[in-house]
Amino acid sequence: MVLTLALFALLAQSSETVWIEAEHFKGVKGYCWPGAPKPKTEGHWGISGPGWAAEWTQGGESNFMSIACGPDDDKAVASLEVEIPVAGKYRVWVRYRDNREATSRFQVRAGGALLTYGETPRVEEDNELKLYWDWAFAWEQHEAELPKGKVTLELLSAFKEKQCRQIDCLVLTTDAAYTPRMKEHPGHPAREVLGALAKGIDPKLEPLARRASEPKTPDAWAPRTFRDKGFLYLWNMDPAAKWAGDDPRRVMFPYHIGDKDVREAFEKKYAGAAEIPIFSDPRIVPTFHGSGPKVLENAAFLKWLDANPDRAWGMMMNYAGDAPVTAAVRESFLKYRERYVGSIAGESLGYFYPKDEAMKAATAAAKTRRELVAAFTPVALASNAEKYRKVFGQDWPDAYREVIPCPSINMTAFAPICYEWGARAVGYESSAITSGLLSMRMAFLRGAARQNGGLTVTYRSCNFGDASTIFSESSSFTKPKNILDNYYSVFSGAGMTWYKMDLWHQYMSGASMFYHEQGFDEYWIPGGTSAAGIHEVQLSPKGKLVDRFLRVTVKHPDRGVPFTPVAFLVDYAHGWDPAPFQPHAFGDMAKRPDLTLFADHEQQLREYFWVAYHPIGPKSEEPITATNEVYVPGVFGDIFDVVYAYPDTKRWTTLATYPVAIAAGDIELTADEGKRLAEYVQKGGTLVVADGHLSGPGVDALELPRMGAPSESDECVWLGKKVASQRFRYRPIDGGRPLATTADGKVFCAAVDRGQGRLIVLSVPRGLGIDRAAVPALPLLVAHLTRGLMPVEVSGGVEWLVNRTATGWIVTLLNPAGQAKPQQGITPTDFRENRAVTIRSSTPIASASDWLFSDEKLVPKDKTLDLVVPAGGVRIVELR
């Protein structure tokens, strides 16, 4: 069903809401883990997230973090100044830890009111969560009269208690109908617009991009691979296993099997075999976990390298340490360095540790994020160089080139920086609970790689909170004493649907290589001692997925180039991550919490990307499952990339390849950067900027239209259609074509044609209302900007991405619905959640086939193709 914009005129006048994450309060320092023995604070709140077993079992914290204080601490105080959009009676809701059979008291000072929470239980004492964890997240609200304007909120522990107080978030709202149960936000005008767009975008919607996409993808978009030899799959191997020996009865390919009985059965079954599922694939790269360069002391491995001159090799540095190597190892490393893919640094920038004192001294004078990056870069690189010096006994040339940083969080912040540091490949460690969805993170990584000519790596784990799916008995943690954390078993972790989607999404998104974290449990011996009996050694569920992935991609070697015509322009020093371990830009690197605490810059980035990838916002408010925050059927599809504004404009290599660029977050433009942006517009690009987030001498080059004095409104008229809005500030725009006005005709969004291109200005500061949420004009603008840019589009409530091949298009379809996989347990597939999907092409479709459903005959109808994506299913449809 297609909804026209006329519907928006029927929306009621909005209530006002201010959502506040507790970790953004000032005065929060250190950590406080309520689940740890004897947690203690002394007059302050501490970070308490991301949570452990209890938090993830009940859906996790909003925004990935919470704060807590010790039981005995009755003096903990944190404060935050917030802006109240309108005066009135506000309901002050708090999501907090409701302890079992104990009070959980704390106070909130809001305006002149002092409100006490946690005096009575809000969740029944014998609730399942309380029985396991002795607490559950609960909501409680009290009322306060608040004036318009700046108000200081205080969060006070105020009482001594038997258990920790733990606070997730606070909500100030005039919405009397709002009663939260999990993490859901009140209704909001921008979300109403996005929700209507999700039901169908009007095909008559006017395109606003000045130029259309070219069907041929730019050369810079093509995924780069190691030595230009194609996709690789890095796999942890056992260097002591028989594959590296001389026994003719050995398994002839590198392998790793964790359990002794499985390994012995595997070796017996495949001794001398020319074909072995997974391990005989030549794209598998032997990678060594925990050994470091010392693996080159293994003469059998050196012999294998000599006997296989076309094969690459690699290492994982997480547990290798800095032990010095011999001169012989150093010489061997140099001999085989050309074939060395690099050193995987899981959840790290490289396992180097700058001293806090040195970093604090280096960054003390910085006044901006760019100055912070300039200050901590030499300290970080010197620390990395020292690590290499300790290992190799000498200064090592290009010491960061072969580091492959793979943070699970902060990849979005550091991808452009790591390439600048000299990394050849930059990666991301995926997991089912790293909220912020995979497609968005891949856009940050892929955009940085395209811009810097780099490789991309996806570090493939199987984690979900504190649980992991492990098909190895020796590596499992399945006893009751493990239930509080680190519970690994075949029923735990993210599940096989997540694993399957992870494989295909990352591959079709252009990953240069995968690194397989476990690798020891792709084979198992299932069965039992009763009716089932013991079966022979075989592929585990994970192994079956990998094996089929490898076989299908051999059959279909051209995965094409990800087609992403819309770029978000973000400062290379933006520092933001959607799910951080600390509430600061750059995580813990910069040592300047006064400069990096979450503020309007980060909020703008969050709101812009939450618009682009809607419904990630509503999905992140549900109880977290293994797919709902990672795979999201976005309103606009996976059509976005991120490009970075570097002060060195020689790095502005790809901006011109995108028909549309949306500037997001604070960017301090140099004069040269401003000229490059103005040139982008003159030569045909469509650039979107908002008021107040661009600074520096380069802004003058954009020749922004004149804007009047700041004013306020809660009215929006978009291209003649009235749309409900929250209260926002704006400056009336003089000139250009009006796109959005107030009811009395004041223009706050306008399009100005320049040369062959177009400049679109949104005069609302950062595109956010006074409530710091996106104004409804922003999703409407994105809807118009994306029209006419995609030669192939999809409707039907699935996640989709498009790749251009030499002969046509590949459309990847993922349906995460029907797979509500919790942290523990196997969830049956709910096939009532199958999705009927329509693929639409701008040109006639001659033929269509599916890589994964090869027996199904697909029959196009001129420019459309109808098919069904099963619940929890993936389809890879090739169009010619």
Side-chain angles (χ1 to χ4, degrees):
M1 177 181 179
V2 174
L3 300 183
T4 66
L5 298 184
L7 170 67
F8 303 145
L10 303 177
L11 298 175
Q13 181 64 43
S14 302
S15 56
E16 294 288 348
T17 297
V18 179
W19 183 285
I20 306 154
E21 295 295 339
E23 63 271 16
H24 297 160
F25 273 69
K26 294 182 179 180
V28 176
K29 61 180 181 179
Y31 290 88
C32 179
W33 299 99
K38 299 181 180 179
K40 187 175 180 62
T41 55
E42 295 180 355
H44 65 271
W45 298 85
I47 293 296
S48 181
W52 291 355
E55 286 86 345
W56 290 119
T57 300
Q58 56 187 301
E61 298 101 330
S62 62
N63 206 50
F64 215 55
M65 280 187 290
S66 56
I67 64 173
C69 68
D72 294 334
D73 194 342
D74 59 353
K75 294 180 173 59
V77 179
S79 64
L80 184 69
E81 186 179 74
V82 299
E83 185 163 12
I84 305 301
V86 296
K89 181 181 290 185
Y90 282 78
R91 288 163 175 79
V92 183
W93 287 93
V94 183
R95 187 174 189 243
Y96 68 96
R97 178 189 188 95
D98 180 3
N99 291 305
R100 186 171 190 267
E101 295 190 333
T103 55
S104 309
R105 294 170 299 172
F106 62 93
Q107 292 178 329
V108 175
R109 193 187 307 277
L114 183 63
L115 313 174
T116 300
Y117 296 76
E119 293 184 301
T120 58
R122 298 289 161 169
V123 176
E124 64 162 316
E125 301 292 26
D126 293 329
N127 170 269
E128 185 107 0
L129 298 173
K130 280 191 170 181
L131 292 174
Y132 272 95
W133 317 117
D134 283 324
W135 70 279
F137 275 126
W139 285 93
E140 184 177 339
Q141 69 96 3
H142 299 285
E143 294 183 350
E145 288 285 344
L146 298 177
K148 175 179 169 58
K150 303 287 187 181
V151 169
T152 297
L153 299 180
E154 286 186 306
L155 190 57
L156 307 98
S157 59
F159 307 94
K160 293 183 184 293
E161 290 285 15
K162 295 179 180 179
Q163 302 294 335
C164 287
R165 274 64 52 84
Q166 184 175 357
I167 315 296
D168 179 25
C169 57
L170 298 84
V171 184
L172 315 180
T173 184
T174 61
D175 186 350
Y178 172 64
T179 303
R181 302 301 182 194
M182 292 302 296
K183 296 178 286 185
E184 64 271 34
H185 286 225
H188 193 274
R191 285 201 179 180
E192 295 288 345
V193 171
L194 287 162
L197 291 168
K199 295 176 182 178
I201 299 178
D202 189 341
K204 301 185 187 68
L205 215 60
E206 176 192 352
L208 279 179
R210 190 77 187 277
R211 66 177 169 92
S213 303
E214 296 290 337
K216 183 181 183 300
T217 54
D219 291 341
W221 287 16
R224 291 193 59 205
T225 57
F226 182 66
R227 300 173 71 194
D228 297 322
K229 290 183 178 293
F231 170 80
L232 296 176
Y233 207 134
L234 280 58
W235 204 279
N236 282 334
M237 300 299 181
D238 180 1
K242 297 177 182 178
W243 65 269
D246 295 320
D247 188 342
R249 297 167 297 176
R250 74 189 188 280
V251 175
M252 305 302 289
F253 305 95
Y255 64 96
H256 187 193
I257 308 292
D259 292 342
K260 183 176 183 293
D261 60 332
V262 180
R263 182 171 62 253
E264 290 174 348
F266 171 87
E267 291 169 346
K268 181 178 180 181
K269 182 175 181 177
Y270 290 109
E275 295 288 337
I276 302 174
I278 297 176
F279 293 122
S280 60
D281 191 303
R283 295 170 293 177
I284 300 293
V285 177
T287 305
F288 300 98
H289 182 287
S291 64
K294 280 182 174 291
V295 71
L296 296 175
E297 293 178 351
N298 186 324
F301 177 53
L302 299 182
K303 187 175 180 180
W304 182 89
L305 285 170
D306 289 334
N308 296 273
D310 291 331
R311 298 289 293 272
W313 65 290
M315 288 186 293
M316 183 191 186
M317 65 167 59
N318 290 36
Y319 310 103
D322 299 337
V325 299
T326 64
V329 166
R330 188 164 59 242
E331 291 174 11
S332 292
F333 190 94
L334 292 172
K335 178 181 177 181
Y336 301 110
R337 191 179 190 189
E338 183 184 356
R339 295 155 58 188
Y340 182 60
V341 296
S343 299
I344 295 289
E347 299 187 287
S348 170
L349 296 176
Y351 285 91
F352 52 83
Y353 305 100
K355 293 181 179 179
D356 285 359
E357 296 76 14
M359 189 61 78
K360 288 177 181 177
T363 60
K367 297 181 179 63
T368 67
R369 287 175 175 81
R370 285 190 171 186
E371 289 181 5
L372 273 179
V373 174
F376 67 58
T377 285
V379 182
L381 289 180
S383 184
N384 178 72
E386 177 61 22
K387 176 186 182 74
Y388 274 73
R389 190 178 301 114
K390 288 178 180 178
V391 172
F392 291 106
Q394 63 185 61
D395 287 330
W396 202 247
D398 302 323
Y400 202 69
R401 184 184 75 168
E402 289 146 350
V403 175
I404 305 179
C406 293
S408 57
I409 49 91
N410 274 328
M411 178 277 290
T412 56
F414 279 96
I417 296 170
C418 289
Y419 283 117
E420 187 186 40
W421 286 357
R424 178 174 56 196
V426 178
Y428 164 59
E429 180 173 352
S430 62
S431 67
I433 48 80
T434 309
S435 58
L437 74 156
L438 181 60
S439 52
M440 188 203 72
R441 291 180 179 277
M442 293 302 292
F444 272 81
L445 182 57
R446 180 178 54 235
R450 287 177 173 178
Q451 191 169 350
N452 291 279
L455 310 182
T456 62
V457 182
T458 54
Y459 180 125
R460 307 205 54 260
S461 67
C462 51
N463 295 327
F464 183 3
D466 63 318
S468 192
T469 311
I470 297 290
F471 295 95
S472 166
E473 184 177 356
S474 59
S475 299
S476 293
F477 304 96
T478 57
K479 296 181 180 180
K481 69 179 181 180
N482 299 122
I483 195 69
L484 292 180
D485 58 10
N486 291 331
Y487 197 88
Y488 296 175
S489 77
V490 296
F491 301 111
S492 300
M496 294 301 99
T497 297
W498 174 88
Y499 204 77
K500 170 180 60 182
M501 291 185 174
D502 217 43
L503 277 168
W504 286 110
H505 189 287
Q506 294 177 14
Y507 180 72
M508 299 309 293
S509 294
S512 307
M513 59 185 88
F514 291 167
Y515 167 70
H516 198 62
E517 181 180 45
Q518 279 76 36
F520 50 74
D521 62 344
E522 308 302 300
Y523 283 81
W524 67 342
I525 299 177
T529 56
S530 57
I534 301 297
H535 291 230
E536 71 171 350
V537 64
Q538 59 188 266
L539 289 166
S540 70
K542 280 199 295 187
K544 292 173 184 176
L545 285 172
V546 173
D547 175 59
R548 187 166 188 233
F549 166 80
L550 292 171
R551 288 187 285 111
V552 170
T553 52
V554 165
K555 187 177 180 181
H556 301 278
D558 184 7
R559 58 177 163 166
V561 177
F563 196 83
T564 51
V566 180
F568 282 95
L569 177 66
V570 173
D571 196 275
Y572 90 108
H574 67 90
W576 173 73
D577 188 272
F581 282 163
Q582 300 92 11
H584 301 289
F586 310 110
D588 198 37
M589 171 66 76
K591 305 300 181 186
R592 284 290 306 278
D594 59 312
L595 189 59
T596 58
L597 189 65
F598 191 99
D600 289 342
H601 161 71
E602 289 82 4
Q603 183 68 11
Q604 182 184 1
L605 289 171
R606 181 178 178 85
E607 288 295 304
Y608 273 48
F609 284 106
W610 262 226
V611 165
Y613 290 100
H614 180 83
I616 177 57
K619 287 294 181 184
S620 67
E621 294 156 18
E622 298 173 354
I624 193 168
T625 74
T627 57
N628 70 332
E629 287 194 47
V630 187
Y631 302 102
V632 176
V635 170
F636 308 108
D638 293 358
I639 68 171
F640 304 100
D641 259 345
V642 176
V643 297
Y644 299 91
Y646 287 93
D648 179 3
T649 54
K650 291 178 181 178
R651 290 185 175 270
W652 286 54
T653 58
T654 58
L655 178 64
T657 65
Y658 297 89
V660 172
I662 302 171
D666 292 355
I667 308 175
E668 47 173 319
L669 295 168
T670 64
D672 285 346
E673 289 176 287
K675 291 177 183 177
R676 290 298 294 268
L677 265 185
E679 181 182 87
Y680 167 76
V681 174
Q682 285 288 334
K683 292 185 176 180
T686 297
L687 174 67
V688 178
V689 300
D691 188 32
H693 70 114
L694 302 182
S695 62
V699 175
D700 292 342
L702 296 179
E703 298 181 354
L704 298 176
R706 286 189 306 168
M707 289 182 270
S711 186
E712 289 187 13
S713 180
D714 56 12
E715 302 165 323
C716 174
V717 180
W718 177 265
L719 293 178
K721 308 287 187 182
K722 185 176 180 181
V723 184
S725 178
Q726 78 273 44
R727 196 155 192 83
F728 61 91
R729 292 193 179 91
Y730 71 97
R731 294 198 289 156
I733 299 174
D734 182 9
R737 178 197 171 191
L739 299 178
T741 70
T742 59
D744 59 355
K746 300 292 196 312
V747 179
F748 64 86
C749 186
V752 182
D753 288 352
R754 299 271 176 79
Q756 296 174 297
R758 178 169 292 158
L759 177 68
I760 297 178
V761 178
L762 179 61
S763 70
V764 177
R766 293 185 173 84
L768 309 181
I770 296 174
D771 62 357
R772 302 177 83 225
V775 293
L778 184 64
L780 291 168
L781 182 56
V782 175
H784 283 267
L785 285 167
T786 55
R787 295 312 89 204
L789 294 184
M790 292 299 295
V792 179
E793 288 194 302
V794 177
S795 61
V798 297
E799 181 172 2
W800 57 275
L801 51 155
V802 174
N803 290 47
R804 178 63 169 167
T805 69
T807 57
W809 302 92
I810 299 174
V811 184
T812 302
L813 306 169
L814 304 97
N815 179 13
Q819 290 285 281
K821 171 70 172 73
Q823 182 170 261
Q824 313 289 350
I826 295 175
T827 300
T829 301
D830 184 354
F831 288 110
R832 294 172 297 178
E833 298 291 344
N834 290 1
R835 295 287 185 261
V837 166
T838 298
I839 299 174
R840 292 181 174 85
S841 172
S842 59
T843 58
I845 303 171
S847 65
S849 59
D850 192 314
W851 289 10
L852 301 176
F853 293 77
S854 56
D855 293 333
E856 181 178 347
K857 186 176 182 180
L858 299 178
V859 182
K861 299 176 183 177
D862 190 24
K863 296 180 181 180
T864 65
L865 175 67
D866 295 324
L867 69 163
V868 173
V869 184
V874 177
R875 302 200 68 165
I876 313 289
V877 180
E878 187 162 4
L879 308 177
R880 296 176 186 264

